[in-house]
Every structure is written in C-alpha cells, then in structure tokens.
Amino acid sequence: AQSVTQLGSHVSVSEGALVLLRCNYSSSVPPYLFWYVQYPNQGLQLLLKYTSAATLVKGINGFEAEFKKSETSFHLTKPSAHMSDAAEYFCAVSSNSGGSNYKLTFGKGTLLTVNP
Amino acid sequence: DTAVSQTPKYLVTQMGNDKSIKCEQNLGHDTMYWYKQDSKKFLKIMFSYNNKELIINETVPNRFSPKSPDKAHLNLHINSLELGDSAVYFCASSQEGGLARETQYFGPGTRLLVL
C-alpha cells in the first residue's frame, strides 16, 4: 500500500526565512505526489503535484518541491516565508483503490507558523 | 463562483439524531469524494462516486450513506449520530477519477459537532 510520512507535525520559522516541510513516501510503483495547503477554517487547496514529468515542481505562492527517488522524498520548500504562509500543509499520494479508481492518501499534516 | 460548495458549514446536533450534508460542484467533473478530517487534522477518504456510481467505499460504518442524485451532487446522510462522528467533512471532486495524477478540488468543509 502506498503511504506518505510527514516529518514534524509543527514547523516554526521567522518571516523571510527558508521554509522546509518534509515528506517521505512509500510506494512499490512510481508515485503521483501532491502537496495541499489548508488555511484556518478552510478547505484544501492544491499547491503542486508531481506526475513524473519533471523532478522539480513549481507551485503556487512561491512554493516548490523536488522529487528524489533515491531518498523517497518530496520535500516542500519556499525561499522566504511570509506571514500569509501560516497554515496546515498536507502531503498526499495517489493510490489505487481497486480497478481504475484512485484515492488520495494523506500524511498527518504539518502546521507551519511564521513569526514576525 | 464557488467550484465545490457544501451545506451547511456548521452543524451542531445531539447524539442519536440523523443529519445530512450536501455537496455540489459546478466544475463539470465526473467524480466526487467524501473525506473525514478528525480532531488531529488527519484526513481519510470515506466514499467516492463516479457518474452517480459508488466506486470507493472505505471501512465506514453503515450509519453513513452517501447518495448521488446526479454527477454534480453528492450528499452524505448520517444516522444515529455518535460522539465520535464529530469531525470536519470535506467534499471533493476530480475530472474523471480514473487517473492517478488528477487533482482533487475540495469544498470548504462542514464542521459537525455531536453533543
């Protein structure tokens, strides 16, 4: 079964500092990986996704992630944190649930706080 | 225009009651999903429908019954509500549902509190 593990349930950075949110995956087949963001009391919004086209994926709001097969990782980064980046971030893998049906299996989430 | 909408946004009810949550998407997608997010923010899929047909049914108590009157709507009915049902329920949709690389679009969530 495919799964993702997010290291660190809470990451705190200063405004302007580098953001690094870690995600490792477990998959017996080439994975499709996603990062979603959830702002307080809102739904989930796609930041970016890896679909095997390029290992470095650029997303919205200045975020990017690099797929590293050798490390089974898909870490999310942003060079300079902004106060508005404070949110819960979820890594997810698309896994087959039978036939040609797919579901998202999420990590436990990482809460990012940005200090002024 | 809201792509995926849910009603109600908040739902407070007593144990043992029956309640429904509605979801509508105006994206023209074929597949819709229900996810449950618990108090620790863990998200887990419950059901998925493709063109009104149930295609994913995770290990969910049969007190939960999804219904899809058409491919733009997916409702969730919960019988005999229990304290453990308190959670945020998210509806989502995707264009086809048969592709691993598809993006799922989420609604704003329904916050259910069972007292």
Side-chain angles (χ1 to χ4, degrees), chain A residues 32-79:
Chain A
Y32 291 103
L33 296 160
F34 302 76
W35 275 101
Y36 279 85
V37 60
Q38 183 180 23
Y39 297 105
N41 296 316
Q42 293 188 28
L44 280 75
Q45 180 183 4
L46 180 73
L47 276 177
L48 50 81
K49 65 180 179 181
Y50 169 73
T51 59
S52 75
T55 57
L56 183 62
V57 183
K58 293 188 185 298
I60 61 170
N61 302 339
F63 284 93
E64 62 181 37
E66 186 171 7
F67 175 76
K68 291 188 177 179
K69 186 177 178 182
S70 60
E71 298 177 9
T72 61
S73 68
F74 189 55
H75 301 331
L76 182 71
T77 60
K78 181 174 180 177

Side-chain angles (χ1 to χ4, degrees), chain A residues 36 38 41 49 94 100 103, chain B residues 37 98 100-101 103-104 111:
Chain A
Y36 279 85
Q38 183 180 23
N41 296 316
K49 65 180 179 181
S94 180
S100 60
K103 64 181 182 181
Chain B
Q37 185 176 46
R101 63 177 181 269
T103 297
Q104 292 185 20
R111 284 147 186 81

Side-chain angles (χ1 to χ4, degrees), chain B:
Chain B
D1 286 344
T2 304
V4 182
S5 59
Q6 296 179 228
T7 53
K9 191 170 183 180
Y10 298 97
L11 187 52
V12 182
T13 188
Q14 299 288 329
M15 258 193 333
N17 284 350
D18 304 338
K19 290 293 178 186
S20 291
I21 306 171
K22 296 186 176 183
C23 177
E24 176 181 2
Q25 55 94 3
N26 63 7
L27 297 167
H29 288 169
D30 286 342
T31 303
M32 297 182 72
Y33 311 79
W34 277 114
Y35 287 86
K36 179 180 179 181
Q37 185 176 46
D38 64 21
S39 59
K40 295 184 178 178
K41 301 272 186 168
F42 184 58
L43 271 158
K44 193 172 188 311
I45 190 166
M46 300 172 71
F47 302 103
S48 177
Y49 270 75
N50 177 273
N51 269 320
K52 303 193 295 178
E53 180 185 346
L54 181 66
I55 56 173
I56 296 175
N57 185 350
E58 295 288 294
T59 49
V60 178
N62 58 15
R63 297 183 296 103
F64 290 79
S65 52
K67 281 193 172 62
S68 182
D70 55 63
K71 73 174 191 177
H73 296 84
L74 179 60
N75 303 324
L76 183 64
H77 188 76
I78 316 170
N79 288 325
S80 303
L81 278 155
E82 300 177 357
L83 294 177
D85 298 332
S86 295
V88 183
Y89 293 85
F90 286 102
C91 178
S93 72
S94 67
Q95 190 154 6
E96 294 181 28
L99 297 172
R101 63 177 181 269
E102 277 193 324
T103 297
Q104 292 185 20
Y105 296 84
F106 284 77
T110 295
R111 284 147 186 81
L112 171 65
L113 178 59
V114 183
L115 301 174

Side-chain angles (χ1 to χ4, degrees), chain A residues 16-32:
Chain A
L18 171 72
V19 175
L20 171 60
L21 304 181
R22 299 176 189 273
C23 175
N24 287 89
Y25 69 88
S26 172
S27 176
S28 57
V29 297
Y32 291 103

